[in-house]
Amino acid sequence: MDENEGEYDEDAALDARRARWTATGTGVLLALAGLAASTLRLTGSAPVLVPGAYAFGAAVCALAAVLGARGRTRRALWLLIVGVMVMALGDQFD
């Protein structure tokens, strides 16, 4: 066993932990932002499709947060992208 191998393992574990926290925190933040936008759009004069898109995008981001917490950071990243795209697409219907 090489002496640098133990240092590599510690760095990899730290990177993985950091990726999990980043995916989870970003997912929670985007989910809360989507829910807030959905609530604001629901009380306004926007079509029903707009708050629905924000709510669906927020649900996708919440799922990404759960996956990120479980270590599925690549899938979480793609779900975060999809969730934000759904929210942006819903905003175009306004």
Side-chain angles (χ1 to χ4, degrees):
M1 185 166 140
D2 192 13
E3 62 190 38
N4 291 334
E5 189 173 318
E7 183 178 318
Y8 175 75
D9 290 340
E10 291 174 12
D11 288 343
L14 181 63
D15 287 344
R17 187 177 304 119
R18 203 175 286 151
R20 284 193 305 270
W21 276 104
T22 301
T24 304
T26 305
V28 168
L29 183 67
L30 287 172
L32 289 175
L35 286 176
S38 175
T39 304
L40 288 174
R41 295 293 187 154
L42 191 62
T43 59
S45 62
V48 176
L49 186 61
V50 176
Y54 276 114
F56 183 71
V60 171
C61 289
L63 177 63
V66 170
L67 286 178
R70 293 184 181 191
R72 306 289 187 194
T73 55
R74 285 187 191 150
R75 291 181 182 140
L77 173 65
W78 284 108
L79 282 177
L80 288 172
I81 292 169
V82 169
V84 170
M85 286 178 64
V86 166
M87 287 189 247
L89 182 65
D91 196 39
Q92 294 298 316
F93 292 123
D94 188 19

